[in-house]
Amino acid sequence: MKSTLAQLTVQFDQALVAAFGPELAGTDPMLVPTTNPKFGDYQANLAMSLAKPLKQKPRDIATQIIENLDVSDLCEPPEVAGPGFINLRLKTQYLEDQLRAMQADPRLGVAPAEQPQKVIVDFSSPNIAKEMHVGHLRSTIIGDSIARVQEFMGHDVLRINHVGDWGTQFGMLITHLKEVCPKALEVGSSVDIGDLVTFYKQAKKRFDEDDAFKTRSREAVVDLQSGEDTATKAWKALCEQSRKAFQTLYDRLDIDIQERGESFYNPLLANVVKDLEAQGLLVEDQGAKVVFVEGFTNKDGDPQPLIIQKTDGGYNYATTDLAAIRYRIQQDGADRVLYVVDAGQSNHFTQVFQVAAKASWIPSGIELTHVPFGVVQGEDGKKFKTRAGDTVRLKDLLDEAVSRARADLENRIQAEERQETEAFIQNAAEVVGIGAVKYADLSHNRTSNYIFSFDKMLALQGNTAPYMLYAYVRVQGISRKGDIDFDHLPAEARIHLEDETEFALARHLLQLGQLVEEVARDLYPNYLCQYLFELSQKFNQFYDRCSVLQAAEPQRTSRLLLCDLTAKTIKLGLSLLGIRVLERM
RNA sequence: GGGGCUGUAGCUCAGCAGGAUAGAGCGGCCGCCUCCUAAGCGGCAGGUCGUGGGUUCGAAUCCCGCCAGCCCCGCCA
């Protein structure tokens, strides 16, 4: 299924050459969907921009293009409008053919990438020994969606969880563990360390208040770094405990991710330093080994360094990130590495990428991209906290979304005097609640800060997960009511567009391929949300105006096909966002 | 001091590889269920696109200055 845009582009190219000569070959026809349905389906904006080079009036240029343009298979006769827009209206027959092709395609007409790449998506990245909290929400949800889109496009995707499993904070944790829970260090032990947040706070309290504890903690850091047995066991026990807690949340969120934490790169750090030194990039400054980066100055206006090795010989996260870049390119064979990390780290990534580039560690054609996102704020516009002022745990956040979804559902069931099983209610509340949290996040442009509101995300109307799910459920309702098996409609059945709302719905459905490609390229899941919202709106308008089951044949079957195609599109779209659908709600 | 992000309707936000009268949802007001779930649909009201310049046939969108908010910047990650 060749995209409409691609076909039109070819025709415009030929028309330009025929009208104005071969030097115009390859000119961008500036084809975009129209801003208003009354202008048709697509508009070409190039005539205005050609006015100066061709020294002619834009409308005259547009007329000459049209005279040489052969799009009669696809479009009604093109029209020149306004200052020189060329408006194209797709033929009904063409739309119907495209819909048929889309129906027959399990990918719904979305072409896979021509050149599949190895894509690494680095996301989520919680810290060991700390609980996942609202701060991990966006990276986890956005990262998963980006990975899903890349996978759908046919890329070989490696989802990496760059967990914080190394660093000086482990000194106090190990020391505290050894003292309060020595059993955890025994062979084959599977002792539950308990609530890790409490554990972390206790350790931190002792570290801040008890000098002897602080000294033992510093020694434990050295032990850990040198591979000493007890310290290593304690570290592993802590990691294992965290891992279990993380996995529970990933399972609930339906997220697949592979752990490869900071400690993984420890054996590679010395070589990073060595290679930077060999290339003469490393400079000793105030006892630390640094690389000076361009485009940044410190408060005194002097060049700013990126610390590679600390005065005490230790490494920090810039070093780890550099080692990770080398490993991902050399060992994993990555073509594209996407770092789904908050916008606050943009300086860090700019600097690290700059150093890697200077060291020639990034072969041409390899793309390293920081995919930034804004912070989650409460409805007061400040950092999102509980009423008591604590960090919001991810588990609590999900629980609350689900319990609110459940309350809404139970009210509705009661109002409608329906009878539903506990299993039905439980499942529907979970899908709606989790879906709402994900959708609310993904539907905002990720670069802005995001104001978190349970009320808004769970609202039954507007650009929310429940609205999308409801549109899907409506289609399933038709199939139940009419005892329709969408997979076994007559093979020769076709969609015939008649009502205005059918045309609007069909045109929107056919934009899917173009849209998904944009999301895969630009990494903005909110484009997809916007698409699905508009699709659901157009479906609801159609549903409101056109009865399906009561229509006479062949209109009835045509409308059933349109419903089914809409539902499949919503399901696919939501799946790329990591959101499940329901048959009833 | 440097770097980054953000500023669009009362609120929450789209739109920003320039394009025809700036969009949506919520909230407000007015309509629509003998009919597939009204968790829906239609309509009305509401905007100096922070601000001042510039580029352009055309700027919310690109460039520069300014204002406001948030974030990051040498031995934490």
Side-chain angles (χ1 to χ4, degrees), chain A residues 285-328:
Chain A
D285 190 68
Q286 295 176 31
K289 291 182 177 173
V290 308
V291 177
F292 284 100
V293 288
E294 291 159 23
F296 300 86
T297 59
N298 65 18
K299 287 168 190 165
D300 302 323
D302 297 327
Q304 195 167 298
L306 182 68
I307 295 183
I308 304 296
Q309 189 166 24
K310 300 188 286 186
T311 304
D312 67 3
Y315 306 102
N316 61 15
Y317 79 137
T319 328
T320 306
D321 283 344
L322 286 168
I325 287 172
R326 300 205 321 167
Y327 190 89
R328 290 166 180 184

Side-chain angles (χ1 to χ4, degrees), chain A residues 71 77 210 242 282 349 415 429 437 530 584:
Chain A
V71 290
D210 180 347
S242 288
L282 213 55
F349 282 109
V437 170
Q530 189 66 28
R584 292 194 303 124

Side-chain angles (χ1 to χ4, degrees), chain A residues 70-197:
Chain A
D70 179 18
V71 290
S72 55
D73 290 348
L74 287 67
C75 306
E76 304 294 343
E79 289 172 8
V80 178
F85 297 105
I86 299 171
N87 290 337
L88 303 167
R89 182 177 302 278
L90 296 172
K91 282 184 171 172
T92 302
Q93 183 65 53
Y94 176 77
L95 289 171
E96 290 173 357
D97 290 346
Q98 292 289 107
L99 289 169
R100 190 172 174 80
M102 187 172 171
Q103 273 169 250
D105 181 0
R107 298 180 55 86
L108 302 182
V110 184
E114 284 171 22
Q115 296 189 316
Q117 292 183 314
K118 177 82 177 191
V119 179
I120 293 181
V121 185
D122 177 327
F123 69 104
S124 198
S125 310
N127 291 314
I128 293 291
K130 289 190 189 170
E131 193 144 13
M132 286 183 79
H133 54 79
V134 64
H136 301 110
L137 184 69
R138 303 205 75 188
S139 176
T140 304
I141 290 173
I142 295 168
D144 175 57
S145 177
I146 285 173
R148 285 172 186 265
V149 171
Q150 298 300 320
E151 284 156 1
F152 183 68
M153 292 307 286
H155 297 300
D156 181 9
V157 178
L158 186 55
R159 298 154 161 261
I160 290 290
N161 202 0
H162 191 80
V163 299
D165 64 354
W166 202 252
T168 47
Q169 78 276 18
F170 279 96
M172 66 182 192
L173 295 166
I174 290 167
T175 307
H176 189 55
L177 182 67
K178 281 201 286 199
E179 294 173 12
V180 302
C181 191
K183 278 186 187 163
L185 305 181
E186 287 169 12
V187 182
S189 159
S190 58
V191 171
D192 193 336
I193 299 166
D195 178 41
L196 276 172
V197 170

Side-chain angles (χ1 to χ4, degrees), chain A residues 27 54 57 66 75 103 149 164 187 229 265 314 379 430 447 474 510 534 540 553 563:
Chain A
T27 305
L54 292 177
K57 289 177 185 167
I66 285 179
C75 306
Q103 273 169 250
V149 171
V187 182
D229 198 42
Y265 303 98
E379 294 190 66
E430 188 77 14
T447 54
R474 280 186 137 178
L510 293 173
E534 287 169 11
N540 279 328
E553 291 294 0
C563 286

Side-chain angles (χ1 to χ4, degrees), chain A residues 138 142 341-345 372-384 440-453:
Chain A
R138 303 205 75 188
I142 295 168
V341 180
D342 73 89
Q345 309 240 11
F373 55 84
V375 300
V376 181
Q377 297 171 316
E379 294 190 66
D380 57 0
K382 294 178 183 167
K383 199 170 174 183
F384 191 51
D441 199 327
L442 294 166
S443 63
H444 288 81
N445 184 314
R446 59 175 165 73
T447 54
S448 341
N449 290 342
Y450 156 50
I451 296 187
F452 191 95
S453 162

Side-chain angles (χ1 to χ4, degrees), chain A residues 370-431:
Chain A
H370 175 210
V371 183
F373 55 84
V375 300
V376 181
Q377 297 171 316
E379 294 190 66
D380 57 0
K382 294 178 183 167
K383 199 170 174 183
F384 191 51
K385 298 266 188 187
T386 63
R387 280 197 197 85
D390 296 324
T391 302
V392 179
R393 306 194 310 167
L394 195 48
K395 180 184 183 304
D396 294 342
L397 185 150
L398 298 178
D399 283 346
E400 178 153 2
V402 171
S403 80
R404 286 180 183 232
R406 187 184 174 108
D408 280 345
L409 182 62
E410 285 175 337
N411 284 338
R412 169 155 287 279
I413 288 170
Q414 196 175 15
E416 294 174 356
E417 298 180 344
R418 285 156 59 186
Q419 296 297 319
E420 300 291 357
T421 64
E422 168 59 24
F424 169 84
I425 295 171
Q426 172 62 33
N427 180 252
E430 188 77 14
V431 171

Side-chain angles (χ1 to χ4, degrees), chain A residues 44-76:
Chain A
N45 298 336
L46 82 167
M48 282 86 79
S49 65
L50 288 176
K52 192 164 276 182
L54 292 177
K55 299 195 175 87
Q56 294 187 43
K57 289 177 185 167
R59 285 190 66 104
D60 293 346
I61 294 169
T63 305
Q64 292 171 72
I65 293 171
I66 285 179
E67 282 166 0
N68 289 281
L69 187 64
D70 179 18
V71 290
S72 55
D73 290 348
L74 287 67
C75 306
E76 304 294 343

Side-chain angles (χ1 to χ4, degrees), chain A residues 220-248:
Chain A
V221 175
V222 176
D223 287 346
L224 179 63
Q225 284 169 347
S226 64
E228 187 269 335
D229 198 42
T230 310
T232 303
K233 272 184 188 156
W235 173 72
K236 282 186 176 163
L238 289 161
C239 291
E240 190 50 41
Q241 179 84 5
S242 288
R243 202 167 285 136
K244 280 184 202 158
F246 296 159
Q247 196 54 49
T248 306

